[in-house]
C-alpha cells in the first residue's frame, strides 16, 4: 500500500507543476457549458417538455452532468501510454517490481488530483450562476450511490483510455483513434444530450454498452428518473464492465508486449 501512495504522491507533485496549464482550461470549460445552456434555453422557448425533460431538469442534466464528466475524466491518459510505447519508455517500467498496468491505474488517480480541485472550484461557480434554474433533491443515500457510480465510471473511462493507448503497439499515431473514441464515448454516454432523444432501437443497444453508465444513468438517478433498484442494477453493470474491460486490457497487453519486444527495444 505504501508504494501505491508514493506513486500517487509523486504524480500529484508532477501535476502540480502544470497547475497553470490546467487552470487555462477553465475559460474553455465555462464557455462550452454556457453555450450548451444557451442552446437548450433557446430550444425550450418554444416548448415546455422534451421527451419527459422540463427546462429545469435539462439545465440540471447539463450542469451536474458536466461536473460528473470532469470528475471522472482521465484527461487523455491514452497519450501518456502511447508516448511510453512509442519512445521506448515502457522498457524502464517493465524492469520495476510493479506491473505497468497497475502503475498506470494508480498514477492516473494522482493525475486527476490537481484537476479535481479546479473542478470543485468551477462547480461552485456554475451552481451559484445556474442554481436557481436547477433541481436539487439530495439525500445521503443518493450521494453514496452517486459516489459509487462515480468511482466505477472513472475506472471504465480509464480502462477505455488504456485500451486506446495500447493501440500504439500497432500504430505509430493514435490521435485520430483517440478523437473518434472520445466523440463515440460522449455520444453514447449522453454527454451531448439525454439518450432518450435517440431512437428506441439505438437506446436499447446502449444499455448493453458501458458508456451510458458513465454519464446518463447516474444523472437519471440524480434527477429521480430511475429508482434506487435501477441505480443498483446500473452499478452492477458498471462492475461487470470494469471486469470485462480489464480482462480485454490484459489480453491486448499480452499480444502488444510480444510485438514491443520484437522491436528489440
Amino acid at each position: 500500500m505504501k508504494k501505491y501512495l508514493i506513486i500517487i504522491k509523486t504524480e500529484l507533485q508532477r501535476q502540480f507543476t502544470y497547475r497553470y496549464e490546467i487552470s487555462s482550461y477553465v475559460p474553455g470549460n465555462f464557455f462550452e457549458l454556457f453555450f450548451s445552456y444557451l442552446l437548450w434555453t433557446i430550444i425550450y422557448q418554444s416548448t415546455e417538455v422534451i421527451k419527459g425533460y422540463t427546462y429545469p431538469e435539462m439545465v440540471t442534466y447539463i450542469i451536474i452532468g458536466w461536473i460528473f464528466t470532469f470528475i471522472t475524466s482521465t484527461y487523455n491518459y491514452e497519450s501518456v501510454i502511447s508516448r511510453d510505447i512509442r519512445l521506448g519508455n515502457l522498457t524502464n517500467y517493465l524492469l520495476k517490481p510493479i506491473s505497468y498496468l497497475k502503475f498506470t491505474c494508480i498514477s492516473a488517480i494522482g493525475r486527476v488530483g490537481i484537476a479535481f480541485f479546479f473542478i470543485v472550484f468551477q462547480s461552485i461557480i456554475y451552481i451559484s450562476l445556474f442554481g436557481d434554474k436547477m433541481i436539487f433533491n439530495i439525500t445521503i443515500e443518493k450521494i453514496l450511490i452517486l459516489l459509487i457510480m462515480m468511482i466505477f465510471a472513472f475506472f471504465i473511462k480509464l480502462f477505455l483510455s488504456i485500451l486506446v493507448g495500447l493501440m500504439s503497439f500497432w500504430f505509430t499515431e493514435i490521435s485520430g483513434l483517440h478523437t473518434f473514441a472520445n466523440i463515440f464515448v460522449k455520444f453514447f454516454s449522453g454527454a451531448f444530450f439525454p439518450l432518450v432523444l435517440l431512437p428506441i432501437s439505438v437506446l436499447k443497444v446502449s444499455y448493453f454498452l458501458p458508456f451510458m453508465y458513465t454519464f446518463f444513468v447516474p444523472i437519471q438517478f440524480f434527477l429521480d428518473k430511475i429508482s434506487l433498484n435501477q441505480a443498483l442494477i446500473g452499478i452492477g453493470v458498471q462492475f461487470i464492465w470494469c471486469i470485462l474491460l480489464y480482462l480485454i486490457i490484459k489480453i491486448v497487453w499480452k499480444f502488444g508486449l510480444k510485438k514491443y519486444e520484437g522491436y528489440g527495444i
Side-chain angles (χ1 to χ4, degrees):
M1 179 59 70
K2 185 177 180 180
K3 63 181 178 182
Y4 296 148
L5 293 176
I6 292 175
I7 293 173
I8 292 175
K9 181 181 178 181
T10 302
E11 188 64 25
L12 276 170
Q13 293 173 338
R14 193 175 75 85
Q15 289 302 314
F16 188 74
T17 61
Y18 298 102
R19 60 190 182 278
Y20 298 114
E21 180 181 345
I22 295 174
S23 64
S24 67
Y25 287 95
V26 173
N29 291 338
F30 173 77
F31 283 110
E32 178 183 350
L33 185 64
F34 177 74
F35 288 139
S36 181
Y37 162 79
L38 186 62
L39 173 63
W40 285 109
T41 299
I42 294 173
I43 293 174
Y44 272 93
Q45 288 180 348
S46 59
T47 184
E48 294 184 356
V49 180
I50 299 177
K51 287 287 186 174
Y53 281 81
T54 62
Y55 177 68
E57 288 177 332
M58 188 62 76
V59 173
T60 304
Y61 184 92
I62 295 170
I63 305 299
I64 301 301
W66 181 92
I67 295 173
F68 199 91
T69 293
F70 282 91
I71 287 180
T72 59
S73 176
T74 57
Y75 297 95
N76 301 328
Y77 210 75
E78 55 270 14
S79 62
V80 176
I81 298 172
S82 176
R83 184 174 64 250
D84 286 341
I85 295 174
R86 288 185 293 103
L87 299 181
N89 298 334
L90 181 61
T91 302
N92 298 325
Y93 292 101
L94 295 178
L95 300 176
K96 293 183 177 180
I98 182 174
S99 74
Y100 180 74
L101 295 180
K102 285 184 179 179
F103 176 85
T104 298
C105 292
I106 299 301
S107 60
I109 297 174
R111 183 180 176 86
V112 303
I114 297 300
F116 177 79
F117 293 103
F118 284 99
I119 293 168
V120 171
F121 173 72
Q122 292 179 78
S123 299
I124 294 173
I125 294 177
Y126 298 154
I127 291 177
S128 64
L129 289 174
F130 307 111
D132 61 326
K133 301 176 179 64
M134 296 171 62
I135 296 174
F136 292 98
N137 183 19
I138 301 297
T139 63
I140 297 299
E141 181 183 67
K142 181 179 288 187
I143 291 174
L144 291 176
I145 294 297
L146 287 171
L147 283 175
I148 296 173
M149 285 181 162
M150 192 177 295
I151 293 172
F152 279 122
F154 170 77
F155 280 103
I156 288 175
K157 288 184 176 182
L158 176 60
F159 292 160
L160 289 171
S161 292
I162 292 175
L163 280 173
V164 173
L166 291 180
M167 291 301 103
S168 288
F169 279 126
W170 294 274
F171 305 101
T172 56
E173 182 57 58
I174 63 166
S175 57
L177 177 61
H178 166 229
T179 301
F180 170 77
N182 187 46
I183 294 175
F184 186 86
V185 170
K186 280 189 173 183
F187 181 85
F188 281 100
S189 68
F192 292 135
F193 50 79
L195 294 179
V196 292
L197 299 180
L198 293 174
I200 296 298
S201 57
V202 178
L203 182 59
K204 287 182 178 180
V205 172
S206 299
Y207 280 105
F208 296 96
L209 301 176
F211 316 119
M212 70 184 305
Y213 300 95
T214 65
F215 187 106
F216 180 70
V217 172
I219 307 307
Q220 289 287 89
F221 180 61
F222 182 89
L223 290 170
D224 292 325
K225 289 186 174 294
I226 62 174
S227 66
L228 174 61
N229 287 338
Q230 290 173 311
L232 293 176
I233 291 174
I235 290 176
V237 175
Q238 285 181 313
F239 176 74
I240 291 172
W241 268 110
C242 281
I243 299 298
L244 289 176
L245 288 172
Y246 185 75
L247 292 176
I248 293 172
I249 286 172
K250 294 287 285 185
I251 294 172
V252 173
W253 169 259
K254 179 180 179 181
F255 286 99
L257 197 58
K258 290 181 179 180
K259 187 173 182 62
Y260 179 79
E261 293 173 341
Y263 292 149
I265 296 177

